[in-house]
Amino acid sequence: MAAGKQRDSREAPPDGGWGWVIVGCCFMVTVCTRAVTRCVSIFFVEFQAHFGADYAATAWIHSLLDCSTMLCAPVGSLVGSRCSCRAAVVAGGLLASCGLLLSSFATSLEMLYFSAGILTGLGFALCYTPAIALVGCYFQRRKALAYGVAMSGSGIGTFVLAPVVQMLIELYSWRGALLVLSAFVANLCVCGALLRPIALQEEQCGDISQQDVEKPPKDSVDLLAPPPPPESSAPRLRRMWRLLSCGEYRFLLLPDFLGLAVSFLFLASGCSLPFVYLVPYALSAGISHQHAAFLMSILGVIDIVGNITFGWLTDRRCLKPHRLACYVFSVGMEGLCCLFTPLLCSFPLLVPFAMLYGYFDGAYVALIPVVTSDVVGTTYLSSALGVVYFLHAIPYLVSPPIGGWLVDVTGSYTATFLLSGAALLASAVILSAVTGIRHCRHRSDSVLLQSSENCHQGTRAPPPQPV
């Protein structure tokens, strides 16, 4: 009996202790990966001037870095589960640091594509997913608080790093700044060394108690999945349908999720452009380098405010049933901010843009897992989020070069920001349409159910009357 109790105590997540060290390490991982990725846009003008390249060619550096991080995230997850989170993060830190080190000696944009884009992105992917997964193994009751602290490294890191990177460029040129960033990113290896594996990690990560499993919504996969293909259809189609309907990816057959996925494609196409072109646009408007970099700092810190406050607000009883509407509102407000950006041609006018865009960017990022869970249910949330973030990869790859091509063709940033705003508004409109169709379908089902109940009651024989 004592041995059984001891084994149970080992299996339960500690919800503290060394877990807070894991949270601190994950915080630094998000600083060294997501914040550094955002700050790459500060090098945009320097790369363009040094190599004499156009906007579209230079934008491929940021695109490849972001896309490699997203596309290779499953690789990081695989290495973390097959070897250990510690090995994955240490290896990723070495790769990312070597990538930035090689970038400081780059002699062409093509070399930067490989070193700063692919190599560094692969290193970031190896670090990002395992570190986030390990936090969930150490926490159960206070998991939301732990993830809130860990993920805040992206915004806080952007706030701190943006002016520092600009100062390093002015003091040591872009090559020296990349050398310093390479040394800074090498701290990922230290963070990885502190990621102590927890006992029975696989069971704790994959086990969900009955209290944690939510009852799937009425619009879950079983009710909304399309009917199986007819027997006359191709055998390959029938096998594919059976594979999806029985496996962990059966939510892919859910019409609501398909609409959500399409909206995410438009979202990813528009949300990355302001992070890439805000600093170059500010410089083209005659704003100093320090003030232009400070705009990124403002955007980063307000991003954290939006993440925390919007997540807290939508968890209140009054707004909890309307979380999808809040998500659509935040994405739509981001689109409107981008549409008005070409009218803002001074630092005092761009500060409100950075604040509003940063706030609503943090808001929708906090709500993506919540909205996805509302659509697919808790059982399929992990697999669904993997698909959701994978969908961001291709838009992250192609949208910055398209924005740069528009700058080259038109000679201004107006078309680029209008494209960003239109894509974000399209995402909001698509999700609003899916929500409207869903609401009408539920109302129609309720009316039909009520009618059938009334008819059933009407056909019943009346009770015998007392004599």
Side-chain angles (χ1 to χ4, degrees), residues 103-277:
S103 300
S104 65
F105 297 99
T107 56
S108 64
L109 280 180
E110 288 73 19
M111 184 175 178
L112 283 174
Y113 293 160
F114 171 75
S115 58
I118 298 175
L119 189 59
T120 305
L122 176 59
F124 286 170
L126 289 175
C127 298
Y128 192 61
T129 310
I132 293 174
L134 193 59
V135 173
C137 295
Y138 272 86
F139 288 87
Q140 184 61 44
R141 290 183 294 106
R142 292 183 282 187
K143 184 179 291 186
L145 174 62
Y147 271 124
V149 175
M151 301 304 291
S152 64
S154 176
I156 295 176
T158 304
F159 176 75
V160 175
L161 282 180
V164 171
V165 169
Q166 183 59 52
M167 181 184 66
L168 290 174
I169 292 175
E170 294 176 358
L171 291 176
Y172 305 113
S173 79
W174 64 268
R175 295 185 184 275
L178 285 175
L179 276 174
V180 176
L181 274 184
S182 172
F184 176 73
V185 168
N187 286 295
L188 286 168
C189 299
V190 180
C191 295
L194 294 174
L195 296 180
R196 187 170 67 193
I198 190 171
L200 303 177
Q201 177 179 333
E202 290 186 4
E203 285 81 3
Q204 290 176 358
C205 290
D207 235 4
I208 301 177
S209 62
Q210 292 299 323
Q211 290 84 357
D212 294 332
V213 178
E214 299 177 0
K215 183 179 179 181
K218 291 183 178 180
D219 54 340
S220 61
V221 179
D222 290 333
L223 295 180
L224 288 184
E231 292 297 328
S232 58
S233 59
R236 182 177 299 179
L237 179 61
R238 293 200 302 271
R239 286 196 300 268
M240 183 181 299
W241 183 90
R242 284 195 294 267
L243 179 64
L244 290 176
S245 61
C246 298
E248 60 178 333
Y249 290 97
R250 62 187 306 185
F251 61 87
L252 293 174
L253 299 175
L254 184 63
D256 287 349
F257 181 80
L258 295 178
L260 190 66
V262 174
S263 72
F264 281 144
L265 286 174
F266 282 93
L267 172 71
S269 300
C271 68
S272 62
L273 291 175
F275 287 102
V276 178
Y277 291 104

Side-chain angles (χ1 to χ4, degrees), residues 233-404:
S233 59
R236 182 177 299 179
L237 179 61
R238 293 200 302 271
R239 286 196 300 268
M240 183 181 299
W241 183 90
R242 284 195 294 267
L243 179 64
L244 290 176
S245 61
C246 298
E248 60 178 333
Y249 290 97
R250 62 187 306 185
F251 61 87
L252 293 174
L253 299 175
L254 184 63
D256 287 349
F257 181 80
L258 295 178
L260 190 66
V262 174
S263 72
F264 281 144
L265 286 174
F266 282 93
L267 172 71
S269 300
C271 68
S272 62
L273 291 175
F275 287 102
V276 178
Y277 291 104
L278 178 60
V279 172
Y281 171 69
L283 294 175
S284 70
I287 298 173
S288 66
H289 285 76
Q290 287 292 343
H291 282 167
F294 188 62
L295 289 173
M296 287 294 295
S297 298
I298 295 173
L299 195 151
V301 73
I302 299 298
D303 186 283
I304 295 301
V305 177
N307 193 303
I308 296 173
T309 59
F310 230 71
W312 179 83
L313 286 173
T314 53
D315 208 26
R316 300 302 94 192
R317 186 183 300 271
C318 57
L319 289 179
K320 199 168 186 178
H322 309 290
R323 289 183 297 199
L324 186 59
C326 293
Y327 171 83
V328 171
F329 174 75
S330 62
V331 174
M333 287 299 299
E334 270 199 314
L336 290 177
C337 289
C338 292
L339 291 181
F340 285 102
T341 303
L343 304 177
L344 312 177
C345 301
S346 64
F347 180 73
L349 292 177
L350 283 173
V351 168
F353 164 79
M355 295 179 67
L356 287 173
Y357 190 88
Y359 182 82
F360 289 110
D361 182 78
Y364 90 77
V365 168
L367 290 178
I368 282 180
V370 178
V371 170
T372 306
S373 178
D374 290 342
V375 172
V376 303
T378 307
T379 306
Y380 304 99
L381 179 60
S382 178
S383 301
L385 284 178
V387 174
V388 165
Y389 290 127
F390 182 81
L391 290 173
H392 285 63
I394 301 302
Y396 279 177
L397 176 67
V398 300
S399 59
I402 291 175

